[in-house]
């Protein structure tokens, strides 16, 4: 079992969906990722928060396998985001993004984190992602997420990141924009030519498509009766996916496929309640049970 | 191996997609269904065409395991439909629907077809579907398709059909409209309460969700590099699905799951060219190879 280093945002989110509303709850890509991955292995979190982020807030990380020694507390306000979802939960509008202390964030990887074998660069400015890559020493596995904003505004910087990681984990829209190809088969091929040897495309309620070796693996999402809030589902997927990989002795094709199911399992919990709520009360036995449910959903006995 | 009786439309289609256009090609739900199913078992087709439907046209059925003795030739023009697809091929506009000879179609099931063990009622007026059910004798398996038009305009007639079949094969929009539930888990439950013990929900490029027994099976669609025309893909799925079931000794849960993959395999060919083109030139070895490709796409080795 190997630890994972992750660098990204810890934030206060305000979220409105057709099914309710929450204000100033703890969110951020690195938060969802860390909580999800900590069910599988040790996580080393590097991020920045303001002095409005109290011990009460950091309690979401405590009692979990999350090392907070890379969490920088600086004067000022924590990153804040507010989003509103449409009726089908598939499209959302950002009401505001206040970077606050994140504006001047310089990721500093503590010395004892620099040889972490698994590295996940959550969605932040690609220049910061490059600074992280400059500070780590020959990780065995590196993955990156991003968003359309960076693909559009900092294409060269993001291309430099892509050239230095082995896995990219993005959603279908981002894959299309990044590759300039509407077709996901072609999009995956174009992205792999940019550097990463694996492309994991998150399709929300339609599941995941992974391009690796000479093949694809596709998994549907678990059909859910209750879906209240998709915020953080993609980062939760990444946490389950990489957490599973890091908990395995080696990253084989079978393990990659199992990891897609592990990530999808974690993401299925995440959407069942607002923000982190469902992940925070989750137990290992619930994860095991749902992993089994997932296997049953997609299991195919050949003739 | 059991034969299948199908009743539905044989038509002349004109189709425009962002990738091209064809005019007055042979289409219709029962056509796609029969051609696809005939790769697996014998098909008995009951439909009506006009005197503009020549021997040249009916050649698409010949040399296949399709019995045309229930195909009625009547004076007048064959059913004609024209549709136009949006850029993403997911939404289409019907330019016209000319029922022509289909207007007065009375399905007459030939005596030697009345004990066919597998029955597929393609999308036609539910009153005609009921007339077919009145003429068949204790089939082992009955499935029905429909469209929003009938769900909205003839809800009671369609409810009577649902009460008398064991499987319904519809797309996600139809499932939502029929059940009044946006959520597909709840939609499937509501529809099963209306009669059928299985609901197969076609989600286009997002695959298939089957509700049966106390469970779901979900399969993604095969990621395709070329998709030119989705016309008939749903009926082609139904043809592969029921064709596979009818070719198996018994309909078990494993066989139902394999049948979803068989149907998805056939549908994946269908969209790769306009109209019936791809299905007409298809060989059994291509089907076997792609079935294998499908298995590899979704195959999951548990720990």
């Amino acid at each position: 079992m190997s630890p994972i280093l992750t660098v990204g945002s810890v934030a206060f989110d305000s979220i409105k969906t057709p099914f309710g509303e929450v204000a100033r709850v703890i969110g951020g890509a690195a938060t969802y990722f860390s909580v999800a991955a900590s069910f599988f292995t040790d996580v080393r979190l590097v991020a920045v928060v303001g002095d409005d982020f109290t011990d009460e807030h950091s309690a979401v990380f405590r009692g979990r396998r999350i090392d907070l020694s890379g969490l920088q507390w600086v004067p000022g306000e924590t990153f804040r985001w507010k989003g509103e979802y449409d009726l089908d939960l598939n499209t959302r509008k950002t009401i505001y993004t206040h970077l606050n202390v994140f504006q001047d964030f310089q990721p500093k990887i503590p010395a004892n984190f620099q040889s972490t074998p698994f590295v996940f660069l959550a969605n932040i400015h690609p220049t910061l992602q490059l600074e992280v890559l400059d500070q780590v020493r020959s990780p065995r596995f590196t993955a990156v997420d991003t968003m359309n904003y960076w693909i559009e505004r900092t294409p060269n910087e993001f291309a430099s990141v892509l050239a230095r990681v082995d896995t990219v984990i993005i959603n279908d829209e981002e894959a299309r924009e990044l590759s300039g190809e509407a077709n996901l088969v072609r999009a995956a091929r174009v992205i792999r030519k940019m550097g990463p040897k694996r492309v994991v495309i998150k399709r929300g309620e339609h599941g995941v498509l992974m391009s690796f070796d000479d093949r694809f693996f596709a998994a549907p999402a678990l059909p859910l009766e209750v879906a209240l809030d998709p915020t953080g589902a993609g980062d939760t997927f990444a946490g389950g996916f990489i957490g599973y990989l890091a908990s395995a002795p080696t990253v084989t094709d079978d393990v990659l496929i199992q990891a897609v199911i592990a990530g999808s399992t974690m993401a299925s919990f995440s959407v069942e309640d607002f923000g982190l709520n469902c992940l925070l009360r989750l137990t290992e036995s619930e994860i095991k049970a749902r992993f089994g449910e997932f296997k049953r959903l997609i299991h195919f006995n050949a003739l």
Side-chain angles (χ1 to χ4, degrees), chain A:
Chain A
M1 184 177 312
S2 304
I4 306 171
L5 168 68
T6 186
V7 183
S9 59
V10 172
F12 286 128
D13 287 348
S14 293
I15 305 162
K16 191 174 175 182
T17 85
F19 309 107
E21 194 166 357
V22 291
R24 208 169 176 273
V25 296
I26 297 170
T31 304
Y32 283 98
F33 177 88
S34 299
V35 172
S38 71
F39 284 95
F40 298 89
T41 191
D42 295 315
V43 179
R44 300 164 170 181
L45 169 63
V46 172
V48 64
V49 290
D51 44 23
D52 55 352
F53 197 87
T54 65
D55 278 354
E56 200 191 319
H57 296 120
S58 64
V60 302
F61 298 117
R62 295 191 211 278
R64 300 179 188 277
R65 293 151 77 181
I66 303 176
D67 185 333
L68 294 182
S69 53
L71 185 62
Q72 308 168 24
W73 254 278
V74 302
E77 277 192 81
T78 300
F79 180 24
R80 294 185 64 160
W81 172 82
K82 180 169 183 169
E84 222 180 286
Y85 290 85
D86 278 359
L87 197 61
D88 67 359
L89 297 181
N90 281 328
T91 38
R92 79 174 174 202
K93 205 165 49 192
T94 289
I95 308 298
Y96 60 71
T97 302
H98 299 320
L99 289 178
N100 298 333
V101 298
F102 212 79
Q103 185 85 53
D104 302 309
F105 177 47
Q106 298 280 328
K108 275 189 209 80
I109 312 302
N112 61 322
F113 286 4
Q114 290 175 3
S115 297
T116 311
F118 284 71
V119 174
F120 177 61
L121 306 167
N123 164 35
I124 43 173
H125 195 301
T127 300
L128 300 185
Q129 295 177 325
L130 287 170
E131 286 174 20
V132 175
L133 291 175
D134 286 341
Q135 294 173 67
V136 296
R137 276 191 296 273
S138 44
R140 262 169 47 215
F141 177 95
T142 47
V144 68
D145 189 7
T146 192
M147 67 193 289
N148 284 345
Y149 186 90
W150 306 121
I151 296 170
E152 288 158 26
R153 276 158 229 236
T154 55
N156 296 333
E157 291 86 340
F158 189 62
S160 303
V161 178
L162 279 183
R164 293 173 62 182
V165 297
D166 46 52
T167 305
V168 58
I169 304 175
I170 52 182
N171 73 31
D172 41 7
E173 262 184 60
E174 290 153 1
R176 291 188 170 106
E177 182 148 3
L178 178 58
S179 63
E181 289 282 357
N183 180 283
L184 292 182
V185 175
R186 285 198 290 268
R189 189 185 304 136
V190 168
I191 294 168
R192 287 178 65 175
K193 283 203 182 124
M194 296 173 176
K197 63 181 175 185
R198 300 175 199 108
V199 180
V200 181
I201 300 175
K202 300 173 285 186
R203 311 177 78 183
E205 62 165 328
H206 300 303
V208 174
L209 181 66
M210 173 167 65
S211 165
F212 65 127
D213 289 346
D214 61 340
R215 60 188 282 206
F216 284 98
F217 172 70
L222 196 75
L224 292 173
E225 194 159 345
V226 175
L228 299 185
D229 173 20
T231 306
D235 300 302
T236 305
F237 168 84
F241 177 73
I242 301 177
Y244 189 93
L245 293 179
S247 73
T250 47
V251 175
T252 62
D253 281 7
D254 276 351
V255 168
L256 282 163
I257 286 170
Q258 290 155 9
V260 168
I261 305 308
S264 303
T265 299
M266 298 307 290
S268 78
F269 287 114
S270 164
V271 303
E272 289 188 317
D273 201 346
F274 280 84
L276 277 171
N277 288 349
C278 193
L279 290 185
L280 290 182
R281 61 174 180 257
L282 201 57
T283 64
E284 294 214 10
S285 70
E286 287 173 309
I287 295 173
K288 276 210 183 95
R290 189 165 285 186
F291 194 85
E293 209 183 310
F294 225 117
K295 274 160 52 179
R296 195 166 182 234
L297 172 77
I298 64 170
H299 183 72
F300 173 77
N301 265 331
L303 259 193

